[in-house]
Amino acid sequence: MAITRMNMAHDPEPTWAEPSWVEVYSAANAIEAQMLVGLLQANGLQAGLRGLGMGGAIGEVPIDALATPIYAPPEQKARAHDIIMRYEASSETPWTCPHCQEENGGQFEFCWQCNAPNSFS
């Protein structure tokens, strides 16, 4: 019997970076890295990873060894940096969903009530 990997919404396949791409950010872990790659892609940029970090070694290695670099084409580096900096600045600020008016914590990319995206504006 063959075993196949299910591609579930909570377990997306990562987007792999091209060799010519440059590092635009070092995420704390693979989960944050995949979320930020999705944010960059949602904003029309190309972005990806070259590895998934050492998440399986949590507790066995120093915390900084878990960092996962995010890569983008060199010509998109400045825009990617701006988007990530806006994300970081907004992550502490609660936001009100424009669709259902629910208040969400700043760390949420989508409204927990209706799943509308945070525009990070």
Side-chain angles (χ1 to χ4, degrees):
M1 177 162 104
I3 298 175
T4 59
R5 185 175 187 280
M6 292 176 56
N7 187 10
M8 303 173 83
H10 65 280
D11 187 21
E13 289 293 323
T15 302
W16 300 110
E18 297 292 327
S20 62
W21 291 2
V22 297
E23 184 175 334
V24 295
Y25 188 75
S26 182
N29 54 57
I31 294 169
E32 180 186 38
Q34 289 183 11
M35 190 272 308
L36 289 172
V37 165
L39 174 63
L40 293 172
Q41 291 172 343
N43 279 276
L45 299 178
Q46 293 177 295
L49 309 171
R50 289 203 180 122
L52 294 178
M54 298 179 62
I58 292 174
E60 303 294 325
V61 297
I63 194 73
D64 61 340
L66 300 174
T68 304
I70 299 170
Y71 298 88
E75 64 275 8
Q76 295 181 355
K77 182 177 181 176
R79 186 159 174 239
H81 187 261
D82 289 345
I83 291 168
I84 291 171
M85 292 305 106
R86 280 189 313 179
Y87 162 77
E88 283 186 335
S90 71
S91 67
E92 298 300 320
T93 305
W95 58 280
T96 301
C97 176
H99 180 63
C100 72
Q101 306 308 311
E102 184 67 33
E103 184 172 322
N104 293 272
Q107 72 276 18
F108 292 107
E109 184 177 353
F110 294 90
C111 176
W112 71 269
Q113 180 71 26
C114 72
N115 208 32
N118 180 356
S119 63
F120 298 108
S121 54

